[in-house]
């Protein structure tokens, strides 16, 4: 009977558990430089703009054929060459392409 009572008391603690589902709380140690850096990074690169994926399908044959891979590479180059015009931190209009937006450039809106 005493063992059963002890088991009931221990099981009662399970109701006090809180699950954490936020990845920044799970994987970044709290109160560290990494957490501060992550906050700074998130300010410039919000989560919605970090990852973009595209599903490609071969028109004929396999996607691993040379022609299909060349077409995918050409598409990549076309996307990479897209130019944008945006206002930097100083209020000046700046022309950028996607490659330059991924490279840190102090004075152009990057830390």
């Amino acid at each position: 009977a005493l063992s059963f009572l002890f088991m009931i008391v221990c099981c009662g603690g399970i109701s006090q558990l809180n699950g954490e589902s936020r990845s920044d709380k799970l994987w970044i140690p709290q109160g560290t430089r990494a957490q501060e850096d992550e906050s700074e990074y998130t300010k410039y690169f919000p989560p919605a703009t970090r990852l973009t994926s595209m599903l490609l399908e071969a028109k004929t044959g396999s996607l691993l054929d040379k022609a299909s891979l060349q077409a995918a590479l050409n598409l990549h180059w076309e996307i990479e060459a897209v130019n944008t015009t945006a206002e930097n931190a100083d209020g000046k209009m700046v022309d950028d392409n996607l490659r330059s937006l991924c490279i840190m450039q102090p004075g152009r809106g990057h830390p």
Side-chain angles (χ1 to χ4, degrees):
L2 188 59
S3 297
F4 183 72
L5 181 61
F6 180 71
M7 183 191 73
I8 295 296
V9 169
C10 289
C11 288
I14 292 176
S15 67
Q16 304 301 314
L17 292 178
N18 293 324
E20 182 62 70
S21 61
R22 295 174 293 179
S23 62
D24 58 327
K25 298 289 183 187
L26 286 170
W27 304 112
I28 300 175
Q30 302 302 298
T32 61
R33 169 109 192 256
Q35 188 178 24
E36 295 169 16
D37 291 344
E38 192 267 341
S39 298
E40 189 71 17
Y41 176 81
T42 305
K43 184 170 39 171
Y44 291 101
F45 303 103
T49 60
R50 283 190 207 160
L51 178 68
T52 302
S53 60
M54 183 182 310
L55 181 63
L56 300 177
E57 182 178 346
K59 291 182 180 178
T60 60
S62 171
L63 187 60
L64 299 178
D65 292 339
K66 184 175 181 176
S68 297
L69 290 174
Q70 187 63 46
L73 187 58
N74 289 340
L75 177 62
H76 170 77
W77 287 334
E78 287 177 26
I79 292 171
E80 193 175 73
V82 170
N83 288 320
T84 62
T85 302
E87 187 174 320
N88 69 4
D90 300 329
K92 298 177 185 172
M93 296 304 285
V94 178
D95 289 328
D96 278 319
N97 59 31
L98 293 177
R99 179 178 291 260
S100 68
L101 291 174
C102 297
I103 299 171
M104 291 182 61
Q105 299 173 5
R108 294 189 70 192
H110 299 276

